[in-house]
Amino acid sequence: MKTIVIQSNKRPASDDALSRLLGLTKEMEDNENSTMWFGIENDSGDVYRVIGVESAEDYVKVLRQLSAAGFWVESLEAETSASLHAVVKAPGAVQSLPI
């Protein structure tokens, strides 16, 4: 798993819980084997963090984990290999979609 934080976009209060849930650490930024990507939105709807995983199996596992924790997951059709495959929103009034 790889994580990249977009410094120009504000981190929401839920970022610490997200990091603990997924076990995100700074050391993860060195892994370049990610093939599937999803963005994490802040309260303003801006993607502030991008997370990459190595396989479709890992992708589904992480998104199910986030969904079970109350995060809302919107799957996207990636048009290029550099596109996001999903956007994840912090827990709130919007209900999670089953994956």
Side-chain angles (χ1 to χ4, degrees), residues 19-65:
S19 295
R20 282 190 304 276
L21 176 68
L22 299 181
L24 300 176
T25 64
K26 290 206 178 249
E27 298 85 57
M28 294 180 148
E29 295 184 36
D30 296 328
N31 183 351
E32 297 191 17
N33 296 324
S34 300
T35 58
M36 299 192 78
W37 297 89
F38 54 95
I40 310 293
E41 287 188 356
N42 61 20
D43 300 331
S44 301
D46 299 319
V47 173
Y48 75 94
R49 179 187 290 276
V50 178
I51 298 175
V53 293
E54 295 180 27
S55 68
E57 181 180 335
D58 290 339
Y59 172 78
V60 170
K61 178 182 173 185
V62 170
L63 291 183
R64 282 186 177 160
Q65 191 175 10

Side-chain angles (χ1 to χ4, degrees), residues 47-98:
V47 173
Y48 75 94
R49 179 187 290 276
V50 178
I51 298 175
V53 293
E54 295 180 27
S55 68
E57 181 180 335
D58 290 339
Y59 172 78
V60 170
K61 178 182 173 185
V62 170
L63 291 183
R64 282 186 177 160
Q65 191 175 10
L66 289 167
S67 182
F71 287 82
W72 185 76
V73 177
E74 177 184 359
S75 293
L76 305 172
E77 288 293 326
E79 295 178 12
T80 67
S81 60
S83 294
L84 297 175
H85 294 85
V87 173
V88 177
K89 301 175 187 207
V94 179
Q95 295 296 313
S96 299
L97 299 175

